[in-house]
Structure formats: C-alpha cells, structure tokens
Amino acid sequence: MRTATALLCLLALGACSNKPPAPQSDPKSAAAQPSAPWDAMKQDEQRAKDVQKIVNQHAADQDKQIEQQTQ
C-alpha cells in the first residue's frame, strides 16, 4: 500500500513541470483588441453617433406619419 502511494505521488510530481504553459496565440482575439486605449473610446463614440442617426431617422419618420394623419 505504501509503495502504491509513493508511486502515485512520484507520478503526480513527474507530470508537473517547471515550464510555464506556452502562450496561445489567437489571431481573432489579437485583431479584436484595439491597438491604443483611445481606439476603443473612438469606436464607442462612432457607435453612439450611428445609434443617434437611427433614432433621429425614426423620429423624423414618425413626425411625417403624424403630419399625414392630421391633414
């Protein structure tokens, strides 16, 4: 029983190594990350502008519909 336990411990320790794991390079995640901190802010700003354009267009369409109904 003691030899089995000692053997198990030796196998477990032998499986562990001092080498750190190799970094996994993922081209998708590297391309998704902005190159500078302000790039993410610029993207957010552009996204907000695009949303505002859509909201303004819907409001204009709704105003036209209201005017057509009141005539």
Side-chain angles (χ1 to χ4, degrees), residues 7 19-20 23 27 31 33 35 38 41-42 47 59 61 64-66 68 70:
L7 184 61
K19 297 180 203 173
Q33 293 178 350
S35 60
W38 55 85
M41 291 182 352
K42 292 278 189 182
R47 195 174 310 126
D61 291 344
K64 286 180 186 177
Q65 288 177 356
I66 291 171
Q68 288 176 354
T70 57

Side-chain angles (χ1 to χ4, degrees), residues 1-3 5 7 9 18-20 23 27 31 34 37-38 40-41 43-44 47 50 57 63-66:
M1 186 68 171
R2 287 183 182 170
T3 56
T5 306
L7 184 61
C9 289
N18 292 334
K19 297 180 203 173
W38 55 85
M41 291 182 352
Q43 289 174 354
D44 290 342
R47 195 174 310 126
D50 293 341
Q57 183 63 40
D63 288 343
K64 286 180 186 177
Q65 288 177 356
I66 291 171

Side-chain angles (χ1 to χ4, degrees), residues 4-20:
T5 306
L7 184 61
L8 257 173
C9 289
L10 284 175
L11 286 175
L13 289 174
C16 299
S17 67
N18 292 334
K19 297 180 203 173

Side-chain angles (χ1 to χ4, degrees), residues 35-63:
S35 60
W38 55 85
D39 287 346
M41 291 182 352
K42 292 278 189 182
Q43 289 174 354
D44 290 342
E45 183 180 1
Q46 186 60 44
R47 195 174 310 126
K49 286 180 182 179
D50 293 341
V51 169
Q52 187 63 45
K53 286 179 187 177
I54 293 171
V55 169
N56 290 342
Q57 183 63 40
H58 284 285
D61 291 344
Q62 195 172 28
D63 288 343

